[in-house]
Amino acid sequence: MDPSVTSGLYRDITDLAHDSPSWVRHFVEIGTEAVIVILGVLFLAGWWRRRSADSRAMAVAVVGPLATAVAYVGSELFKSAVQEERPCRAVAGAAASLATCPPVGDWSFPSNHSTIAAAAAVALAIAWRAIAFLTIPLALFAAFSRVFVGVHYPHDVAVGLLFGGLVATLVVLALTRPARALIETMRTSRTGVVVWFAGRGPAPEPAAQWAGAGAGYGAGYRSAQGAGPGSEPGQQAQHGPVAGSDRQHR
């Protein structure tokens, strides 16, 4: 993509950054890096809460970080192929970047931060739908912040978001089944650390336990009492003396 297409928007956003209050600039400068850490913590929380879930849910939670890593590697290969210069060096007349401009050779397109944030946000939303309201806005903030601090063009972050989200979705869909089989195998291991990582899965249903116990009790009760008159030796013996006593009485 021609960088000049979004150069004007880049200038507008960096001008906005310099016109913003100092606390806003500091917040975005910190937040642009902190988002990745927050998403990493959410991955850990998602893995921990799924240790007591079924194997498929656990597999999706474990595959998420791997999908994010695959998206990151893909964005690095993309960068090496395109070799787009950073706007903080290439755009004439733009305000100075708030963040230190990366060195030459650290290419701009697509944005690694946006790719990682989008991949993590989508993978987390698939594994833990309740936090999609948090992860998606975090990814959007991460993308905008990279332009705000002056180190990426708007098209860098837009493509990074799309690329990261798409790769994460495809990787999760492709690896969930084999990961599920692996989790099920790990849960039968005798090695403590392996079982600790995979979790023991859901506990048996109490209703099923009582149903099994009831079935056993019923079978034992029927065995002791007999299915019907004269069907068991005990009952035949019981009826025998009654018949004999009648004959003796007569």
Side-chain angles (χ1 to χ4, degrees), residues 68-195:
T68 303
V70 171
Y72 165 71
V73 172
S75 71
E76 278 293 319
L77 295 175
F78 210 163
K79 278 176 177 286
S80 299
V82 177
Q83 297 188 354
E84 177 189 86
E85 188 58 87
R86 294 277 180 168
C88 41
R89 270 190 299 274
V91 178
S97 60
L98 299 181
T100 302
C101 194
V104 176
D106 187 348
W107 308 113
S108 188
F109 180 84
S111 164
N112 278 344
H113 278 71
S114 301
T115 299
I116 293 170
V122 170
L124 282 164
I126 293 173
W128 191 355
R129 295 182 182 179
I131 63 169
F133 78 95
L134 173 62
T135 63
I136 301 302
L138 280 174
L140 295 175
F141 170 78
F144 175 77
S145 69
R146 302 308 288 168
V147 183
F148 189 90
V149 300
V151 295
H152 279 290
Y153 291 101
H155 65 267
D156 296 342
V157 300
V159 172
L161 287 173
L162 293 174
F163 181 75
L166 177 61
V167 170
T169 301
L170 294 176
V171 172
V172 170
L173 289 175
L175 296 186
T176 294
R177 179 173 293 181
R180 178 180 183 177
L182 177 61
I183 292 296
E184 290 175 349
T185 301
M186 293 174 70
R187 284 178 168 177
T188 62
S189 173
R190 295 183 179 180
T191 305
V193 68
V194 173
V195 176

